[in-house]
Amino acid sequence: MPTTDPGLDQAILSTKVHRPRVAPERVLRERLFERLDRGARGPLTVVSAPTGFGKTTLVADWLGTRWQGGSGWVSLGASDNDRALFWGYLCAAFEQAGVPGARALASAAFAPGPVPTEALVAPMLAELGAVAEPVVLVLDDVHLLDDAGVLEALRQLVEGAPDAVRWVLVSRRAAPFPVGRLRARGLLVEISVDDLRFDRVEATGFLASRFNVAPSDELVDRLVRRTEGWAAGLQLASLTVGEGDDPESAAAAFTGDHPWVTELLVEEVLDRQPPGVRDFLLCTSVLDRFNADLAARVVGVNDAAALLRQVHRRGLFLVELDGRREWFRYHHLFGEMLRARLAEVEPDAPKRLHGAASRWFDGEGLLEEAVQHAHLSDDPEWAAEVIERGWRRMDRSFRSERWLSWARRLPAERVRERPVLALGMGWALLDIARLDEAETFLTRAQEWLEGTAEGPGPRVSAEADYRSMGGFLSAGWAYLAQARGDLEATERHAREALERLPRDDSFYRGIPAVTVGLAQWARGELDAAVRSFDDGLHAFRAAGNAPFEHGALYVMAEVRLEQGWLAESAALFAEAEALEGDLPASDEVRAGRAELLVERGRPEEAAALLDSAGGAPPAPGGDEPRLAIARAELAALRGDSAAARTLIDTALAARLEAARVPRRRPLEARRARLQVLDGDLAEAERWARAALPGDRSDELVALAELALARCLRGESALAEAEARIASIDDARARDTGPRLAVEARLLRARLAEHVGDRSGARRLVAEAVEQAATDELVRVLHRSAPPEVLASVLAAESRWSGLRERLDTLAAGPAGGSPLEGILTRREMEVLGLVREGLRNKDIAKRLFISLSTVKRHIANIYAKLGVTHRTAAVARLEELERG
């Protein structure tokens, strides 16, 4: 639900993006350096081989000795299949490589709700496109990635990499996505196991650095043959051969197939260590990474730092992670051997050691690792305690789905006996729209709250969350009710939450306040909705919750836009955008601003803004396809009602089935208005029958326009039209915005014109212009005002000259659209088009919902402007102009 800055742990982050240290006695592998040099001239190099072939050392050494540009490094682990963590590490590595804006993009992965892969990749590629000097980004142990979302993001980044960006993927397996096209185009360099095998010259240099004397040719040949050039095998062999009195005999006894590796490591390395070192190695093998403090806790010794230094000096496959000799891990093969040996000699030890590790990580506030080791300790009670205490922290970081994956691994009875755990699972399931399952857990928590729960319990580790459980439960019920469209229950539960949540918990109090506003918005109570949103906004600001502050500003701006308070709406959108310097950019905000420009009659500016949108994550609480809606309104403003209707249909089809917020925009009503404009009254009538009684402003105006259209077509609908317009006035008690008032006046003006009351029509249009001009409500005048009356009103006073120019531009349509632009008005072009189709004046009047006398006046104006005297000549003149 809520969010804060994801705050990637800096201790862990520093180990993830640290390039491994290369031993000074290593062998410089020039032939492979040249392959890497060639790879750095293209987008992708893949270094793949089984464990122990020196992949990581090779690439790290090449970066340190040959590469002159910027570089970043990410050491991957199995836990990095969490896309948010992976993205955070990637952004940090790019920052390390000299891409200054990359780190700020990390927060996009922690945005609320599902985040499309394109929404992460597109801004990153844009940032990388600005890089002038070449940079290399190395991902080590790519084979540990198996999450489809992580791999898809990586594929898009590699395939879309700008010229200055080079990727090096280090893996035990082939590239994790198809690379055939890059290979065919000569843009891929691959270094495989056969390339990585040490040849005789390299093996000689390697063994010499270990023995401190040049090995004999026979010894080198024997070891190369037995190890098949395997770097780890050579290193293991050097430990055995180098310590013996007869290296030739030791080399002869060194086998070359896989089973000997474990035997060698145990008998010739592990068993040769002092007991204290051996115990240290076995106990710390359960850890993916460790420092002296963690090792001391797990091993149960006070001299862990000294033991760690001893292990490091002995060269016992310890890999430094942070450049400060504080955090380490074991070589993968060595670690696997140690774990297997530990399970063999002391089968119960791993669970005990994982439990100790979990408690250390928990004390350090490192929740991910604490939970990981708690599960491996096979102590479900401890795991439940850690996970329960971590709920609010993960929820505030928008990582509730990750938290849910931990909680789902717990036995069902552990959840049933823990009220806070059940509540957290209900909230997390609401976040992913699993409504029925969420209700089950919320109900269990409710039973604990009411004292009706059966079975053992309650067990509680998060005491503060337990004390405030009533408020969280009410907020959860409100969330569930709004997702199911029950607006009355939504508001009732949300108000209960505001009563129950602690007064000083601004972070969470903002959520029910906004929830009340969403329900009010959906009911058309727009003034009340703005007040509720403002309450939520102040709560989010007090809590420093910038993402939800952004969301509250966005919904307030949207309501003010709907009301027609365009200046206030523009200011609110601007505030929301100002926050986006530290947050992911929102296409919904851009779409709202574009629709605001549509309302002000500025189609070109709106189009430019919409063209810049696409691919950003949705704003908090945003379900509806906002871009499609804004583009539909732009198309309608430009007179392309067919495109507008298609876009509205697209928006309707794309709405989520299980919406997390009430339906805020009656899109069906917007479509009905377009149907009326196109003369498709039968379709609009079908909607009207289903929509009754409509109480949203768009619905009320659409119903009134439909009744008015029927009047203009000669049907007996005058009383209905008057009643519909009156209902708009009634709605102004809950929506005091100017748009509804202007719409009502213009509808009355059209009705007055229809019954012959031209002075009344002129008075109403003048009042509408006066009110619309304050907030630049240009589009409503363009769409709803009777054209001749509006032109007369605007011509009467010079102060309306700017407004008149804007409306004349809209009436002319887009530049280049017709050879008659600048000669005929938009309405005159519509009339001439219908004349060309063969319609009679009476039919034209029905199609355009204007009087017969108005049609005759338009035709007279057309004749005069084109210099013709009859219909056939007008059509011929049009066709002549079209031919050029």
Side-chain angles (χ1 to χ4, degrees), residues 7 9 12-13 96 100 277 341 395 540 575 578 596 681 714 777:
D9 184 83
I12 300 302
L13 179 61
Q96 181 187 72
V277 173
R341 183 66 173 168
D395 184 65
F540 295 140
E575 281 192 73
L596 189 149
L681 300 194
L777 288 167

Side-chain angles (χ1 to χ4, degrees), residues 715-795:
E715 298 182 25
S716 301
L718 183 60
E720 181 187 349
E722 290 175 337
R724 292 292 184 201
I725 297 171
S727 70
I728 297 175
D729 287 330
D730 294 339
R732 296 199 62 238
R734 57 182 186 275
D735 175 7
T736 58
R739 187 174 76 89
L740 207 54
V742 171
E743 292 272 20
R745 283 189 170 90
L746 295 177
L747 287 166
R748 279 203 169 85
R750 289 165 63 187
L751 193 60
E753 184 186 42
H754 173 66
V755 300
D757 183 6
R758 292 189 60 81
S759 63
R762 181 183 174 84
R763 175 181 54 79
L764 288 163
V765 169
E767 292 172 356
V769 167
E770 192 76 46
Q771 190 162 16
T774 303
D775 268 276
E776 289 188 80
L777 288 167
V778 176
R779 186 206 184 180
V780 68
L781 296 173
H782 172 67
R783 177 177 57 193
S784 301
E788 292 78 13
V789 179
L790 177 61
S792 174
V793 169
L794 295 177

Side-chain angles (χ1 to χ4, degrees), residues 485-535:
D486 187 343
L487 302 182
E488 181 181 351
T490 297
E491 185 166 359
R492 183 177 71 254
H493 288 304
R495 293 194 183 281
E496 288 174 359
L498 289 169
E499 289 296 321
R500 293 175 168 182
L501 285 170
R503 296 289 175 183
D504 59 352
D505 193 348
S506 298
F507 194 101
Y508 281 96
R509 287 182 63 82
I511 296 172
V514 169
T515 302
V516 170
L518 291 172
Q520 292 166 330
W521 185 5
R523 286 199 301 265
E525 300 169 6
L526 304 189
D527 292 331
V530 169
R531 290 192 292 272
S532 296
F533 291 149
D534 194 50
D535 289 343

Side-chain angles (χ1 to χ4, degrees), residues 30 224 315 350 357 368 428 447 503 518 544 583 672 714 739 774 830 837:
E30 292 291 339
V224 169
E368 284 269 354
E447 290 170 353
R503 296 289 175 183
L518 291 172
L583 298 171
R739 187 174 76 89
T774 303
E830 289 175 339
E837 291 178 23

Side-chain angles (χ1 to χ4, degrees), residues 8 155 315 392-393 470 600 659 713 795 815 848:
L8 294 168
R155 182 192 68 79
R392 287 276 293 276
R393 174 177 162 185
R600 285 178 162 170
R713 201 160 69 171
L848 299 180

Side-chain angles (χ1 to χ4, degrees), residues 849-860:
F849 312 117
I850 56 180
S851 66
L852 183 59
S853 62
T854 299
V855 173
K856 292 178 179 178
R857 185 165 60 253
H858 282 314
I859 290 177

Side-chain angles (χ1 to χ4, degrees), residues 201-520:
V201 174
E202 291 169 335
T204 299
F206 177 85
L207 293 171
S209 70
R210 297 302 188 273
F211 297 158
N212 295 318
V213 294
S216 68
D217 291 344
E218 291 76 15
L219 177 62
V220 172
D221 288 341
R222 187 183 299 275
L223 289 178
V224 169
R225 185 171 61 252
R226 293 296 178 87
T227 62
E228 299 183 57
W230 180 40
L234 285 169
Q235 182 175 358
L236 294 174
S238 72
L239 291 173
T240 303
V241 173
E243 292 182 3
D245 295 330
D246 185 358
E248 296 292 339
S249 299
F254 189 79
T255 60
D257 51 55
H258 201 271
W260 59 256
V261 175
T262 299
E263 181 180 352
L264 175 68
L265 287 171
V266 172
E267 295 182 2
E268 301 298 332
V269 179
L270 182 63
D271 287 351
R272 293 189 176 196
Q273 306 307 316
V277 173
R278 185 168 59 246
D279 290 344
F280 181 92
L281 292 172
L282 290 171
C283 291
T284 53
S285 70
V286 302
L287 304 169
D288 293 333
R289 59 177 67 87
F290 56 90
N291 62 11
D293 287 342
L294 173 55
R297 178 70 173 269
V298 170
V299 181
V301 296
N302 295 323
D303 58 344
L307 285 168
L308 193 52
R309 288 193 296 272
Q310 191 174 354
V311 169
H312 191 271
R313 283 197 306 271
R314 287 172 172 265
L316 294 176
F317 301 96
L318 199 62
V319 179
E320 185 182 346
L321 293 176
D322 60 358
R324 298 187 298 274
R325 296 189 178 181
E326 294 179 3
W327 283 89
F328 300 87
R329 67 166 174 83
Y330 291 118
H331 182 283
H332 297 307
L333 187 65
F334 190 64
E336 289 165 4
M337 179 279 298
L338 290 174
R339 289 188 287 275
R341 183 66 173 168
L342 178 65
E344 179 183 339
V345 299
E346 195 175 349
D348 294 331
K351 294 179 181 179
R352 171 177 55 80
L353 296 170
H354 281 300
S358 176
R359 285 166 172 80
W360 185 88
F361 280 117
D362 181 60
E364 296 295 314
L366 299 173
L367 184 59
E368 284 269 354
E369 289 79 4
V371 172
Q372 174 190 350
H373 287 284
H375 280 310
L376 292 171
S377 73
D378 198 22
D379 183 352
E381 182 57 39
W382 167 250
E385 180 178 336
V386 174
I387 292 168
E388 178 179 310
R389 285 190 280 104
W391 166 52
R392 287 276 293 276
R393 174 177 162 185
M394 293 293 282
D395 184 65
R396 289 168 71 105
S397 299
F398 262 116
R399 301 189 65 207
S400 58
E401 192 168 358
R402 176 69 167 169
W403 180 88
L404 181 63
S405 71
W406 300 339
R408 284 190 185 280
R409 295 178 60 184
L410 294 170
E413 60 270 20
R414 290 290 177 265
V415 179
R416 286 187 57 79
E417 68 189 17
R418 286 182 168 271
V420 175
L421 204 53
L423 172 63
M425 290 191 72
W427 267 54
L429 288 160
L430 287 175
D431 267 353
I432 58 174
R434 299 288 292 273
L435 305 185
D436 293 340
E437 196 176 354
E439 185 174 20
T440 299
F441 286 101
L442 292 177
T443 299
R444 180 62 178 173
Q446 188 75 39
E447 290 170 353
W448 282 117
L449 185 68
E450 296 173 352
T452 60
E454 298 179 356
R459 298 182 70 85
V460 177
S461 54
E463 293 287 350
D465 295 344
Y466 182 63
R467 289 191 298 272
S468 58
M469 198 170 75
F472 284 103
L473 259 175
S474 293
W477 289 123
Y479 197 79
L480 181 64
Q482 75 170 5
R484 288 174 168 169
D486 187 343
L487 302 182
E488 181 181 351
T490 297
E491 185 166 359
R492 183 177 71 254
H493 288 304
R495 293 194 183 281
E496 288 174 359
L498 289 169
E499 289 296 321
R500 293 175 168 182
L501 285 170
R503 296 289 175 183
D504 59 352
D505 193 348
S506 298
F507 194 101
Y508 281 96
R509 287 182 63 82
I511 296 172
V514 169
T515 302
V516 170
L518 291 172
Q520 292 166 330

